[in-house]
């Protein structure tokens, strides 16, 4: 990736942290110096945010890399740290979760109540024969029981494996089989787009293929009819009748906490294994530092689904370890109207919002007038995660949601890293639209070339992590060899994240997406992210996805799928004219080499449930191949829409 485009690096806008926020910030610039001076001592101090039943003997055992052990010999209970200690400190009446169901029903759950519910669920699981080390699959909609189920597993030392409520029978049964799960926790259904959507039939089919499953616990959410087998138990008859008295036992710092299968935009899903002490340390620290959380006054809202790592670390473990008050929302952002998010922010006076670029671009497409109708003045920190955020979407987020005041933290991390690794600090960093800026204190990130040499400022290459970190994955479940091969073999002694990145002239980092997505056009490396950002910088474009399609002349040619903004006329000649204008716009912004061969105007883009564009499918469309595996596709009807409704021009 030596010959890269300069476009993103020419960004000259800078946004200083607001003075009031900087003056009262949880973390100041001194944290970088402290961590640089002694990284391990820094992490040991962060571990001190938690209550340990037994202090560790050694901060890090790295004697058998890449297999790390953090806080060796230490013991703690993760659920105790998220619940009991807050209740014991007199904070039991604080709201933990303001839950908002899609149909408009609400529940307010205090720390004391969440503690009681978790104790009941822990007792119920124990009665069902679940013991420390067993695996429990969780296949639930965004209901409070999802958090309760996770915490109950943590409380008894069982390992949870949360599977997205939208996944298919095969996705669920293969994950159950891979982890040999003993119990599945599910629901009759959940609400999506105004309708009850069934979950139980999928579980029934998956369980029929899963000999390891002994019991199925079913939460009643929608009240729809369900088939019943002798393995099934209602949650309200089993958990809600159990004793809420449960004493949490401490477990080893390296006790497996959860397995989470990677989003799988490519290849066979990997069961990423996370353990307890190091994971909770970094989830709690980063939530405190990156969002500047003030637990007494903030109302925090992460819009991710609990089935994604963002939901694990920034709905369940980080916020609850920190005693935060948060919103949990069950449904989609356009039900009952496209104003749903802003109505929630306004009503609960949300102060910290953490969402994804895909949602920000969707809101852009729907139009500025929707958020403009609400009081969003409570918002003081805005976060982004999941994909590179285009400078244009970043500016839209800042202006229309942050009202030009709230700092944006663009947070780079992965299921594998367990917690945020690269991000601005809201009270410290002067941000640049589209850049995740730099590694957090205690994190050693770098960009290297093909040979693993650090690139100079201004250069581009592969993102790596040079030192182990507390919340790092410990292995791929059941496959140590694949763990070593996937992450630690590309560059000697470094973790290879699979992402491309650039350093600008100040040494700040620009993430460019998966390296598999980089295109090679007439011998030039061009990242899909850069062409997408150029397209989104045109006023008529809300969202764009770019792929490299095989081309007889240039090797690969750039094909772009583009969603126009709501008000743009794309009928007939107007559509053709727009396509030509966009091709020229990209050529002008990035140089003629980046001019797309073809631009298609489409109504939607195929995305994973976590909101990442599935470029592999678009490449198939661009090359007229039949479609590959779509099990992680949010809505397979999108592909039909794209294939039938697209307007294409060369
Ligand atoms: C947390 C999460 C990880 C991949 C990662 C990268 C992309 C995430 C990003 C970002 C640019 C950001 N990614 N955050 N790219 N800027 N702020 O998304 O985990 O589902 O495992 O995906 O997402 O490509 O490698 P996961």
């Amino acid at each position: 990736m030596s010959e890269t485009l300069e476009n993103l690096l020419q960004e000259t806008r800078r946004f200083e942290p607001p003075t009031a926020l900087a003056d009262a910030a949880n973390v100041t610039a001194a944290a970088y110096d402290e961590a640089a001076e002694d990284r391990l001592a820094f992490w040991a101090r962060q571990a001190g945010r938690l209550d340990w039943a037994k202090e560790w003997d050694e901060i890090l055992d790295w004697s058998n890399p890449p297999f790390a052990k953090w806080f060796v010999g230490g013991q703690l209970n993760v659920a105790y740290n998220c619940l009991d200690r807050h209740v014991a400190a007199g904070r039991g009446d604080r709201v933990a979760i303001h839950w908002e169901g899609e149909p408009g029903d609400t529940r307010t759950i205090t720390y004391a109540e969440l503690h009681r519910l978790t104790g009941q669920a822990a007792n119920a699981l124990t009665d069902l024969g679940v013991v420390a080390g067993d695996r429990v699959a969780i296949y639930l909609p965004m209901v409070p029981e999802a958090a309760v189920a996770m915490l109950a597993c943590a409380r008894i030392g069982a390992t949870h494996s949360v599977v997205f409520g939208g996944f298919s029978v095969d996705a669920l049964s293969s994950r159950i089989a891979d982890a040999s799960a003993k119990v599945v926790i599910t629901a009759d259904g959940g609400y999506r787009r105004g309708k009850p959507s069934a979950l139980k039939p999928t579980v029934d089919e998956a369980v029929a293929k899963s000999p390891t499953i002994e019991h199925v616990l079913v939460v009643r959410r929608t009240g729809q009819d369900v088939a019943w087998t002798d393995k099934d138990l209602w949650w309200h008859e089993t958990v809600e009748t159990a004793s809420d008295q449960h004493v949490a036992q401490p477990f080893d710092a390296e006790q497996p906490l959860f397995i989470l299968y990677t989003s799988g935009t490519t290849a066979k899903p990997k069961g990423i294994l996370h353990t307890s002490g190091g994971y909770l340390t970094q989830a709690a620290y980063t939530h405190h530092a990156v969002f500047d959380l003030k637990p007494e006054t903030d109302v925090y809202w992460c819009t991710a689904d609990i089935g994604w790592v963002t939901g694990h670390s920034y709905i369940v473990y980080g916020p609850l370890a920190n005693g935060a008050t948060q919103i949990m929302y069950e449904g989609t952002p356009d039900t009952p109207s496209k104003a749903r998010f802003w109505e929630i922010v306004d009503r609960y006076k949300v102060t910290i919002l953490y969402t994804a670029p895909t949602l920000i671009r969707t809101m852009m497409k729907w139009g500025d007038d929707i958020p403009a109708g609400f009081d969003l003045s409570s918002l003081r920190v805005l976060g982004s995660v999941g994909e590179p955020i285009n400078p244009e979407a970043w500016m839209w987020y800042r202006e229309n949601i942050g009202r030009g005041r709230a700092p944006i933290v663009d947070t780079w991390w992965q299921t594998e890293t367990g917690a945020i690794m690269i991000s601005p600090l809201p009270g410290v960093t002067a941000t640049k639209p589209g850049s995740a800026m730099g590694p957090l204190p205690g994190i050693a990130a770098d960009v290297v070339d093909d040979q693993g040499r650090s690139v100079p400022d201004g250069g581009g290459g592969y993102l790596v992590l040079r030192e182990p970190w507390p919340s790092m994955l410990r292995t791929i479940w059941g496959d140590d060899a694949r763990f070593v091969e996937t992450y630690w073999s590309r560059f000697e002694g470094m973790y290879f994240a699979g992402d491309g990145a650039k350093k600008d002239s100040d040494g700040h980092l620009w993430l460019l997406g998966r390296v598999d997505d980089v295109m090679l056009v007439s011998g030039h490396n061009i990242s899909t992210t850069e062409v997408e950002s150029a397209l989104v910088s045109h006023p008529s474009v809300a969202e764009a996805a770019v792929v490299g399609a095989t081309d007889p002349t240039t090797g690969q040619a750039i094909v772009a799928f583009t969603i126009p903004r709501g008000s743009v006329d794309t009928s007939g000649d107007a559509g053709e004219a727009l396509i030509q204008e966009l091709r020229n716009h990209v050529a002008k912004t990035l140089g003629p080499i980046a001019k797309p061969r073809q631009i298609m105007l489409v109504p939607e883009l195929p995305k994973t449930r976590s909101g990442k564009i599935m470029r592999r499918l678009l490449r198939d469309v661009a090359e007229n191949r039949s479609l590959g595996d779509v099990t992680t596709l949010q809505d397979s009807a999108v592909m039909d829409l794209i294939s039938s409704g697209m307007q294409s021009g060369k």
Side-chain angles (χ1 to χ4, degrees):
M1 270 200 264
S2 46
E3 262 190 280
T4 43
L5 303 170
E6 294 303 313
N7 176 55
L8 290 176
L9 305 186
Q10 280 159 17
E11 177 63 63
T12 54
R13 292 170 288 195
R14 296 282 182 288
F15 297 95
E16 295 288 339
T19 318
L21 195 156
D23 289 348
N26 287 351
V27 176
T28 66
Y32 293 102
D33 302 332
E34 287 166 26
E37 203 168 289
D38 187 340
R39 195 173 54 86
L40 294 183
F42 170 83
W43 283 119
R45 277 197 300 282
Q46 305 318 324
R49 307 175 165 279
L50 307 179
D51 276 13
W52 293 77
K54 180 173 173 289
E55 176 102 10
W56 54 89
D57 308 312
E58 192 185 0
I59 301 169
L60 169 67
D61 175 358
W62 192 234
S63 59
N64 179 29
F67 298 94
K69 293 192 182 118
W70 281 86
F71 308 112
V72 186
Q75 291 188 350
L76 80 171
N77 185 289
V78 168
Y80 177 91
N81 273 280
C82 293
L83 302 169
D84 306 47
R85 64 170 177 153
H86 302 313
V87 177
R91 297 189 291 266
D93 291 340
R94 181 183 296 166
V95 174
I97 299 174
H98 287 290
W99 180 76
E100 176 91 9
E102 201 194 67
D105 48 337
T106 60
R107 281 168 73 182
T108 303
I109 301 176
T110 63
Y111 273 92
E113 195 177 344
L114 196 58
H115 176 244
R116 280 194 298 274
L117 291 167
T118 302
Q120 289 184 310
N123 282 323
L125 287 174
T126 304
D127 289 347
L128 293 178
V130 179
V131 297
D134 284 347
R135 273 81 56 207
V136 173
I138 298 176
Y139 185 75
L140 281 170
M142 283 288 284
V143 290
E145 285 79 4
V148 171
M150 290 163 75
L151 291 164
C153 289
R155 194 168 187 89
I156 61 172
T159 306
H160 58 71
S161 165
V162 180
V163 180
F164 254 133
F167 277 174
S168 64
V169 172
D170 286 348
L172 177 58
S173 62
S174 63
R175 284 158 172 78
I176 289 173
D178 188 66
S180 309
K182 218 167 165 179
V183 169
V184 190
I185 304 177
T186 187
D188 49 359
Y191 288 93
R192 273 196 95 70
R193 299 225 144 77
K195 288 195 294 269
S197 132
L199 283 179
K200 180 81 174 22
T202 309
V203 177
D204 291 343
E205 263 192 74
V207 167
K209 298 193 215 174
S210 306
T212 60
I213 294 295
E214 295 170 13
H215 302 286
V216 180
L217 261 178
V218 188
V219 174
R220 191 159 65 192
R221 166 64 184 134
T222 57
Q224 62 202 115
D225 284 341
V226 288
W228 210 246
T229 76
D230 54 5
K231 290 184 179 176
D232 295 338
L233 296 161
W234 281 114
W235 174 279
H236 58 268
E237 290 174 2
T238 313
V239 174
E240 289 172 13
T241 55
S243 160
D244 59 11
Q245 299 299 308
H246 184 274
V247 180
Q249 300 300 320
F251 293 99
D252 193 89
E254 286 297 336
Q255 177 76 10
L257 178 62
F258 67 85
I259 302 167
L260 186 59
Y261 292 81
T262 47
S263 42
T265 49
T266 53
K268 173 180 178 274
K270 301 180 277 281
I272 304 302
L273 178 70
H274 283 286
T275 60
S276 301
Y279 170 79
L280 194 63
T281 295
Q282 197 175 329
Y285 172 68
T286 51
H287 184 256
H288 159 88
V290 172
F291 300 108
D292 191 45
L293 178 89
K294 309 280 198 265
E296 300 80 20
T297 47
D298 274 318
V299 179
Y300 165 85
W301 183 20
C302 168
T303 69
D305 192 288
I306 232 152
W308 183 27
V309 73
T310 306
H312 282 55
S313 302
Y314 298 106
I315 295 177
V316 179
Y317 293 112
L320 296 178
N322 289 340
T325 294
Q326 67 177 317
I327 311 292
M328 181 174 177
Y329 173 55
E330 177 185 34
T332 51
D334 54 356
T335 307
S337 86
K338 290 176 173 155
R340 187 63 185 265
F341 269 32
W342 315 123
E343 189 258 317
I344 291 176
V345 170
D346 191 344
R347 182 148 45 90
Y348 291 97
K349 301 295 168 221
V350 172
T351 58
I352 304 169
L353 179 68
Y354 192 27
T355 192
T358 178
L359 270 157
I360 298 165
R361 292 186 302 251
T362 302
M363 305 289 181
M364 274 171 83
K365 178 175 71 182
W366 290 345
D368 306 358
D369 52 319
I370 298 177
F374 293 87
D375 178 8
L376 307 183
S377 61
S378 54
L379 288 169
R380 65 178 199 94
V381 178
L382 301 177
S384 173
V385 59
E387 283 188 297
I389 176 164
N390 325 96
E392 215 55 37
W394 196 103
M395 287 304 298
W396 187 90
Y397 195 26
R398 182 177 165 88
E399 295 302 328
N400 292 276
I401 309 305
R403 304 278 152 94
R405 288 177 302 100
I408 295 178
V409 288
D410 173 15
T411 63
W412 180 91
W413 59 295
Q414 309 176 294
T415 305
E416 292 87 339
T417 69
I420 300 171
M421 303 292 281
I422 302 174
S423 170
L425 287 175
V428 178
T429 317
T431 51
K432 303 173 180 177
S435 170
M437 303 304 291
L440 289 177
I443 299 301
D446 198 2
V447 181
V448 299
D449 66 14
D450 274 334
Q451 308 301 313
R453 291 174 303 221
S454 185
V455 304
D457 290 351
Y462 305 93
L463 183 72
V464 295
L465 300 165
R466 290 184 174 279
E467 300 286 352
W469 62 99
S471 64
M472 65 193 278
L473 75 167
R474 298 304 194 258
T475 189
I476 293 175
W477 180 259
D479 203 343
D480 287 350
R482 192 173 176 207
F483 167 62
V484 176
E485 160 67 28
T486 309
Y487 304 107
W488 301 93
S489 304
R490 179 73 178 79
F491 302 109
E492 178 70 36
M494 298 177 227
Y495 170 89
F496 172 46
D499 281 15
K502 282 182 178 180
K503 285 183 197 169
D504 67 18
S505 54
D506 302 320
H508 294 134
L509 300 176
W510 296 76
L511 280 312
L512 299 176
R514 309 297 298 166
V515 287
D516 316 335
D517 290 335
V518 171
M519 304 171 288
L520 192 62
V521 182
S522 306
H524 296 261
N525 281 305
I526 301 178
S527 89
T528 53
T529 303
E530 287 168 299
V531 181
E532 286 162 8
S533 288
L535 284 163
V536 176
S537 75
H538 189 281
S540 299
V541 176
E543 182 149 30
V546 164
V547 297
T550 311
D551 185 276
T553 326
T554 56
Q556 279 191 316
I558 301 175
V559 177
F561 296 79
T562 303
I563 305 180
R565 287 215 195 188
S567 53
V568 176
D569 176 18
T570 56
S571 54
D573 288 351
E576 272 310 309
L578 176 61
I579 286 166
Q580 293 317 324
E581 191 181 319
L582 292 177
R583 292 182 68 223
N584 293 332
H585 174 75
V586 175
K588 210 168 80 208
T589 322
L590 294 176
I593 185 72
K595 185 173 188 170
R597 180 187 75 185
Q598 197 177 357
I599 291 184
M600 310 196 196
L601 302 180
V602 295
E604 292 295 342
L605 291 170
K607 291 187 184 150
T608 65
R609 284 294 306 274
S610 63
K612 295 190 209 305
I613 296 167
M614 296 186 83
R615 293 191 183 72
R616 183 173 47 84
L617 292 181
L618 291 173
R619 210 173 300 135
D620 289 343
V621 173
E623 295 179 346
N624 299 316
R625 283 203 302 261
S626 72
L627 302 179
D629 173 36
V630 291
T631 49
T632 58
L633 195 56
Q634 184 186 22
D635 177 5
S636 53
V638 165
M639 289 313 292
D640 303 337
L641 260 176
I642 288 180
S643 307
S644 63
M646 67 193 173
Q647 248 181 304
S648 146
K650 290 200 180 189

